Amino acid sequence: SMVAPPDEGDEPFTMHELQNLMNQLITGGYTTTADAIGNAMLLLIEHPDQMQLLRNDRSLLRNFAEEVMRHSSSVQGLFRRTTRDVVIDGVEVPADSILHIRYGAANRDPRQFPDGDTFDITRENANKHLGFSRGPHFCPGQPLALQEIMVAFDRILDRMDDIVIAPGATIERAPGFFLYTLKELPITFTAR
């Protein structure tokens, strides 16, 4: 436990470590999911054919959530340190180098995702994205995040019709290198 006394021989977390862990939990547990829901709404508004497809077939909710994370992942990239010398696409990278791994770019790689710039909720391999990372850094919140997106849009599509960007609104993203965040998403809709 983060706040319970440590087991015998264990060092307790420092205040800095506790603050860092809380920052990660809040960012990973709230901010990225809120960003994903905003990104998903914008994608559906921009692709009314996909919104109608999802309205007509809710069995696509899981693949929709995966495609949102592939196409417009909340986390576009994170820094990693190499543990050994490695060659990446012909470039020698020495051990202990800092790399910025761009998940957003990998999620559009045409070798993995043909026509990767297209948002397609029927994409067969949508779940092969890196929106939650991979390996030892895989996001432990992945099942909850996908479930939250699916539940949110199941309810939204039950309750809202004619969803569009509010007249005169400008869509802007928050500046940043890591997160893909909308500053706001003003919409109008008709209640069902």
Side-chain angles (χ1 to χ4, degrees):
S1 170
M2 290 193 314
V3 294
D7 290 335
E8 191 174 319
D10 288 343
E11 290 289 320
F13 284 116
T14 65
M15 182 56 69
H16 177 74
E17 289 169 331
L18 286 169
Q19 289 170 333
N20 190 335
L21 284 168
M22 290 307 298
N23 180 41
Q24 289 180 41
L25 289 172
I26 290 167
T27 300
Y30 168 74
T31 303
T32 55
T33 302
D35 288 345
I37 290 170
N39 291 335
M41 178 60 79
L42 181 59
L43 284 166
L44 287 180
I45 290 169
E46 292 175 336
H47 301 89
D49 61 315
Q50 298 296 294
M51 187 182 310
Q52 193 58 51
L53 189 59
L54 190 57
R55 279 189 190 282
N56 295 342
D57 185 358
R58 300 298 172 85
S59 73
L60 291 170
L61 277 165
R62 174 66 184 228
N63 215 65
F64 159 72
E66 297 280 10
E67 179 68 352
V68 166
M69 294 306 298
R70 184 203 66 81
H71 186 278
S72 297
S73 181
S74 303
V75 179
Q76 288 290 301
L78 293 172
F79 286 108
R80 296 289 180 247
R81 181 184 305 271
T82 57
T83 58
R84 59 183 169 81
D85 293 345
V86 65
V87 176
I88 301 173
D89 203 25
V91 177
E92 294 182 23
V93 181
D96 216 32
S97 295
I98 302 295
L99 301 177
H100 191 250
I101 307 302
R102 295 300 293 171
Y103 307 129
N107 288 341
R108 304 282 182 104
D109 185 338
R111 294 169 294 185
Q112 179 70 26
F113 303 104
D115 200 18
D117 290 338
T118 299
F119 178 66
D120 177 6
I121 67 171
T122 65
R123 185 181 299 275
E124 288 184 20
N125 67 341
N127 66 344
K128 301 296 184 197
H129 63 83
L130 297 177
F132 296 104
S133 190
R134 285 279 192 267
H137 295 287
F138 186 72
C139 175
Q142 179 256 6
L144 178 59
L146 290 174
Q147 190 65 37
E148 288 173 318
I149 295 167
M150 293 181 332
V151 168
F153 281 90
D154 194 36
R155 300 303 182 273
I156 287 168
L157 295 176
D158 280 348
R159 297 176 182 180
M160 300 165 73
D161 277 328
D162 309 315
I163 306 168
V164 295
I165 302 297
T170 302
I171 304 303
E172 292 182 55
R173 297 241 173 228
F177 200 53
F178 301 106
L179 301 177
Y180 200 50
T181 303
L182 292 163
K183 284 186 175 181
E184 60 181 5
L185 185 60
I187 63 170
T188 63
F189 62 92
T190 304
R192 292 188 97 184

